[in-house]
Amino acid sequence: METPWARRSVKNACSERRTARGSPPGNRWGAQAARVSTPPEHSTTSNSWETIMRKTCSYIFIVLFCLVFAGCGNRVRLEGTVTFSDDGSPLTCGMVLFDDGQIVARGPIKSDGSYAVGVDRENDGIPPGTYKVSIVDAAETIPSGSDYVPPSYKKLIDDKYFFNDTSELNVAVDASTKRFDIVVERAK
């Protein structure tokens, strides 16, 4: 009569023979797959150090991620109109750009002269700060009348508004700022 202990020892003896001969049939990775090595004692210490560093880096990343997106929640919704100084009529095309040296927010000018500023998309707001303002793409398209000749463009505003250094338009945005109306001169 065979005892459970005897069965285990026979099974262990078979496993040892199979490992000594090579890998069992059907194991395509060879004898190396059947062997299990134990790491040296010092590797446990380095593994725990690596684990600590990974966790620390993960926590730092999570905190920075939260801080960045928490800062994005403090945006101010800023809107306004762009009109001409001579008759008060609206500028009907273009893009208003707000630049503080790090962030460039923009707002497309609609046909009634209104705009709403956004950093990622239109009207999502702008972080508080001091911005230099410029207006680009304020031009009227003049069709050429031919399919082979591209259209030309007529500037609607003075060239100084195309660059934030020459436009002399600045705005300090804080939580109380809701509107920034802009008055521009016509192109000469």
Side-chain angles (χ1 to χ4, degrees), residues 7-184:
R7 265 189 247 132
R8 267 189 265 149
S9 65
V10 170
K11 186 175 183 181
N12 288 340
C14 292
S15 297
E16 289 171 10
R17 265 187 271 133
R18 207 175 313 144
T19 304
R21 281 192 316 230
S23 63
N27 185 349
R28 64 181 193 187
W29 302 109
Q32 294 298 325
R35 295 186 190 141
V36 177
S37 63
T38 56
E41 289 180 29
H42 71 280
S43 71
T44 306
T45 306
S46 74
N47 283 341
S48 65
W49 176 251
E50 288 174 8
T51 304
I52 291 170
M53 289 306 294
R54 283 186 187 149
K55 285 182 180 180
T56 303
C57 289
S58 297
Y59 292 139
I60 290 172
F61 177 75
I62 290 170
V63 168
L64 289 176
F65 184 79
C66 292
L67 288 175
V68 166
F69 280 101
C72 294
N74 298 336
R75 292 183 182 173
V76 176
R77 293 211 174 198
L78 182 65
E79 57 187 20
T81 57
V82 183
T83 56
F84 289 106
S85 61
D86 58 355
D87 61 358
S89 63
L91 177 64
T92 59
C93 62
M95 178 86 65
V96 181
L97 300 178
F98 292 78
D99 186 359
D100 73 346
Q102 295 177 348
I103 296 173
V104 177
R106 64 208 169 282
I109 301 172
K110 297 178 181 155
S111 60
D112 63 351
S114 66
Y115 70 91
V117 180
V119 174
D120 298 320
R121 62 186 177 281
E122 185 179 347
N123 200 21
D124 71 350
I126 184 171
T130 303
Y131 293 87
K132 292 182 176 183
V133 183
S134 61
I135 301 171
V136 297
D137 297 334
E140 200 174 69
T141 304
I142 303 171
S144 66
S146 170
D147 292 339
Y148 301 107
V149 179
S152 59
Y153 299 94
K154 176 186 171 193
K155 291 186 224 174
L156 298 175
I157 60 174
D158 194 339
D159 289 345
K160 71 179 184 178
Y161 297 107
F162 291 127
F163 304 101
N164 61 17
D165 292 333
T166 59
S167 72
E168 300 174 1
L169 297 172
N170 298 310
V171 63
V173 177
D174 60 12
S176 65
T177 310
K178 301 294 181 204
R179 288 195 63 81
F180 181 64
D181 294 326
I182 302 170
V183 179
V184 295

